[in-house]
Amino acid sequence: MKFGIIGTGEITEKFIKNARLNPGFEPAVLMSRSMQKGTEFAERCGIPKVYTSLEELAADDEIEAVYVASPNYAHMEQSIMMLNAGKHVFCEKAVASNSRELQAMLDAAEKNGKVFLEAMRIAFNPNLAALKAKIAELGQPRNALLSVCKYSSRYDAFKDGLNPNAFNPELSNGAVMDMGSYSAFMLVALFGEPERIMCTDVKLSNGFDGFGAFLAVYPEMAAEVLYSKVCVSRAGSEIMFDNASIRISNLPGIEGVEIIYRDGRKEQLYNAGLPEYMAETAEFLRCCEEPERARPYNEQSLALMRVLDEVRRQNGVVFPADAE
């Protein structure tokens, strides 16, 4: 399947490299506002053609699908344009600025008979199914700590007085939309939407939420969710039961998973070790062949976005896109 690629960031380069491990993936066109930057990126990634406008990409009938990896605020407009042009869309997380935008994107996909999918790589990691099966085996969880706290590679630039896109809330960016989307996704994927949440965060000088935490309440359990772009946590995540606990050293990758029983026994959860972005691209290609496969993923994306909306509401994180 011939793909158009929107975005020239680090994630895009990683995505192209590992998505190519799927024989059905062919990056045919790169869209960049800058011809020079786009050409350099395309040559580095082996993409034969560069466009400098969305209209050119939308008009290219050879392109069957588009991978959208632009800043969050642009996802809705770009995705809907490509869907209306008859192309499937695979859109990076955070998939939209809010749940209203996401619903509009899903409506456009249905209207045009095309597939829209969020490129939330955890959702397609085979270790997720193994983890859910182990949770079902161990019974009712009582508490969970889901933590994705990292020191952003752009944070030093921000502290030096620059305004990198990754720390610009005008672009619908924030720790909750970045690292928080991973930890909140795991919350929803493992336990469903909570009955209620209680939130707090720490904001930087420009109003950007650098760190946040919230408590998610369920009928028989509670979960603590942490996310950060300004500090590192090496404690990992943990899910606690009456007779065991599951420790996860790397939540986004669902790696280093260990079950420790109350009697001291330990068990390792198998790690498939697939390259990042390979599994998600394979499933997107399958969804393009069987569109009904996308429905549960889309429902999960909507549930996640509703949680992120509520976290931002309680913490007073407002994006320009929220006013439209």
Side-chain angles (χ1 to χ4, degrees), residues 1 64-65 79-80 82-89 104-117 284 287-292 294-295 298:
M1 179 175 287
E64 303 166 85
S79 295
I80 290 178
M82 296 305 148
L83 290 164
N84 287 341
K87 306 178 193 312
H88 304 296
V89 172
M105 296 150 90
L106 294 173
D107 290 346
E110 183 172 358
K111 172 186 173 184
N112 291 286
K114 295 299 173 182
V115 167
F116 177 87
L117 210 59
F284 176 74
C287 287
C288 292
E289 296 294 325
E290 306 170 49
E292 280 301 309
R295 190 172 300 277
N298 290 334

Side-chain angles (χ1 to χ4, degrees), residues 117 124 278-288 293 297:
L117 210 59
F124 311 100
M278 178 183 176
E280 68 173 24
T281 307
E283 182 62 11
F284 176 74
L285 292 169
R286 284 190 287 267
C287 287
C288 292
R293 292 179 68 106
Y297 295 114

Side-chain angles (χ1 to χ4, degrees), residues 192-207:
E193 287 186 72
E195 289 188 341
R196 67 183 189 278
I197 60 177
M198 293 165 278
C199 313
T200 189
D201 68 4
V202 176
K203 294 185 176 66
L204 304 183
S205 57
N206 65 343

Side-chain angles (χ1 to χ4, degrees), residues 23-252:
F25 174 81
E26 181 185 346
V29 174
L30 175 75
M31 203 298 290
S32 173
R33 298 291 185 186
S34 165
M35 176 58 75
Q36 179 180 346
K37 184 177 181 180
T39 300
E40 292 172 356
F41 185 92
E43 289 177 352
R44 191 164 66 247
C45 295
I47 302 174
K49 190 184 299 184
V50 177
Y51 292 143
T52 57
S53 75
L54 292 166
E55 290 75 15
E56 286 180 290
L57 179 57
D60 190 333
D61 292 334
E62 291 188 352
I63 300 302
E64 303 166 85
V66 175
Y67 170 70
V68 177
S70 50
N72 297 341
Y73 83 100
H75 286 178
M76 181 183 72
E77 178 185 357
Q78 294 175 353
S79 295
I80 290 178
M81 177 184 288
M82 296 305 148
L83 290 164
N84 287 341
K87 306 178 193 312
H88 304 296
V89 172
F90 198 30
C91 185
E92 262 301 335
K93 67 88 189 164
V95 71
S97 300
N98 50 52
S99 54
R100 174 187 55 79
E101 286 193 349
L102 175 54
Q103 188 60 62
M105 296 150 90
L106 294 173
D107 290 346
E110 183 172 358
K111 172 186 173 184
N112 291 286
K114 295 299 173 182
V115 167
F116 177 87
L117 210 59
E118 180 178 14
M120 172 65 73
R121 58 188 172 91
I122 313 178
F124 311 100
N125 188 323
N127 286 342
L128 178 60
L131 179 58
K132 293 174 74 171
K134 180 55 68 173
I135 290 173
E137 177 187 318
L138 294 174
Q140 175 61 50
R142 295 306 182 187
N143 181 249
L145 171 63
L146 303 172
S147 174
V148 183
C149 297
K150 297 188 176 182
Y151 189 99
S152 170
S153 61
R154 303 291 187 272
Y155 187 36
D156 287 339
F158 175 83
K159 290 193 292 184
D160 287 340
L162 302 178
N163 187 31
N165 285 349
F167 280 80
N168 185 353
E170 295 293 308
L171 305 182
S172 300
N173 284 334
V176 70
M177 303 298 282
D178 191 355
M179 298 299 106
S181 68
Y182 287 130
S183 49
F185 172 83
M186 286 299 289
L187 177 82
V188 171
L190 296 177
F191 312 119
E193 287 186 72
E195 289 188 341
R196 67 183 189 278
I197 60 177
M198 293 165 278
C199 313
T200 189
D201 68 4
V202 176
K203 294 185 176 66
L204 304 183
S205 57
N206 65 343
F208 183 94
D209 59 317
F211 168 84
F214 66 89
L215 180 68
V217 180
Y218 295 84
E220 297 184 75
M221 69 166 287
E224 304 154 72
V225 180
L226 308 180
Y227 54 91
S228 177
K229 287 176 69 72
V230 299
C231 55
V232 178
S233 171
R234 295 182 173 86
S237 301
E238 187 171 12
I239 305 167
M240 288 150 272
F241 305 80
D242 291 352
N243 294 307
S245 66
I246 301 176
R247 294 180 182 174
I248 309 168
S249 63
N250 174 15
L251 190 59

